[in-house]
């Protein structure tokens, strides 16, 4: 009997001595695992943001004059450590490349959407009406953003060509109104 009593006392003593160290170690292990899994899930579940790209000018609903159809595109980094690759900028109008007509800096690009001088439609202005604008820019990690907008080209205010809807009567009346206005100004001085 004496032999069993020693075993029970020795086991109880060992339990009493080890219990505080086990109780203190379990929360530390649990905390370490929770922080490791939180960091791992945060890095693996965080979505990678592509660069932002927007048509800054003309504003939505505004038209461009036919004699100077210029647009402005604005872009921004998606991730702080992934800069914009300015060489990746592509601008298309109705599927035709206009990229060489654009100037770019770190936040925006601007240029004309008129046909190229050496293209198939050389010497012709961009036709009146609605056109499809497509632009693309990428980050240095080759994450790209596309933009698709419609732009409307309208006759220039200073256009010397009459609009197709004006009649010869309307032109004559306009000339008469201008002459009467000039005569009236001459007599009021």
């Amino acid at each position: 009997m004496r032999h069993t009593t020693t075993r029970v006392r020795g086991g109880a003593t060992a339990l009493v001595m080890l219990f505080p160290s086990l109780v203190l170690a379990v929360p530390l292990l649990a905390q370490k695992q929770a922080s490791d899994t939180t960091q791992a899930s945060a890095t693996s579940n965080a979505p990678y943001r592509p660069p932002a790209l927007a048509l800054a000018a003309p504003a939505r609903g505004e038209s461009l004059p036919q004699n100077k159809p210029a647009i402005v595109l604005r872009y921004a980094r998606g991730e702080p450590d992934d800069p914009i690759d300015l060489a990746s900028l592509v601008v298309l109008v109705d599927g035709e490349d206009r990229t060489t007509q654009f100037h770019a800096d770190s936040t925006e690009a601007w240029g004309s959407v008129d046909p190229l001088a050496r293209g198939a439609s050389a010497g012709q202005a961009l036709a009146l009406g609605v056109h499809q604008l497509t632009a693309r820019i990428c980050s240095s990690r080759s994450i790209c953003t596309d933009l698709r907008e419609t732009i409307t080209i309208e006759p220039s205010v200073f256009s010397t060509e009459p609009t197709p809807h004006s009649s010869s009567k309307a032109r004559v009346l306009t000339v008469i109104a201008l002459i009467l206005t000039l005569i009236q100004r001459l007599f009021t001085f």
Side-chain angles (χ1 to χ4, degrees):
M1 274 213 167
R2 186 167 171 99
H3 187 53
T4 23
T5 309
T6 307
R7 280 190 193 167
V8 171
R9 278 190 197 161
T13 306
L15 253 171
V16 168
M17 289 178 72
L18 290 175
F19 185 73
S21 62
L22 286 174
V23 169
L24 293 174
V26 170
L28 292 177
L29 289 174
Q31 289 173 356
K32 184 177 180 190
Q33 289 174 350
S35 67
D36 288 346
T37 57
T38 304
Q39 288 176 352
S41 67
T43 56
S44 65
N45 291 337
Y48 189 85
R49 294 178 311 217
L53 178 61
L55 180 62
R60 187 160 289 198
E62 288 184 5
S63 299
L64 293 171
Q66 188 178 26
N67 66 337
K68 193 168 185 172
I71 65 166
V72 178
L73 299 168
R74 287 214 175 104
Y75 38 83
R77 291 180 176 197
E79 295 291 327
D81 61 341
D82 190 14
I84 299 287
D85 179 14
L86 296 178
S88 70
L89 178 69
V90 176
V91 180
L92 305 172
V93 176
D94 297 332
E96 294 180 20
D97 193 6
R98 303 285 199 272
T99 307
T100 57
Q101 298 172 203
F102 278 78
H103 306 280
D105 65 13
S106 61
T107 59
E108 62 185 19
W110 61 96
S112 175
V113 293
D114 248 347
L116 295 173
R118 58 184 179 271
S121 53
Q124 295 178 1
L126 195 59
L128 298 177
V130 178
H131 297 275
Q132 181 68 40
L133 170 73
T134 306
R136 170 178 249 192
I137 196 155
C138 301
S139 69
S140 62
R141 292 184 186 150
S142 298
I143 305 300
C144 300
T145 298
D146 293 325
L147 170 75
R148 286 180 177 76
E149 292 279 340
T150 57
I151 54 173
T152 305
I153 305 297
E154 66 180 14
S156 173
V157 176
F158 302 109
S159 176
T160 57
E161 298 176 17
T163 59
H165 299 293
S166 65
S167 66
S168 60
K169 285 183 181 179
R171 282 185 263 150
V172 169
L173 290 175
T174 305
V175 170
I176 291 173
L178 287 173
I179 292 172
L180 289 175
T181 306
L182 288 173
I183 293 172
Q184 182 182 11
R185 286 189 182 174
L186 286 174
F187 288 115
T188 54
F189 286 108

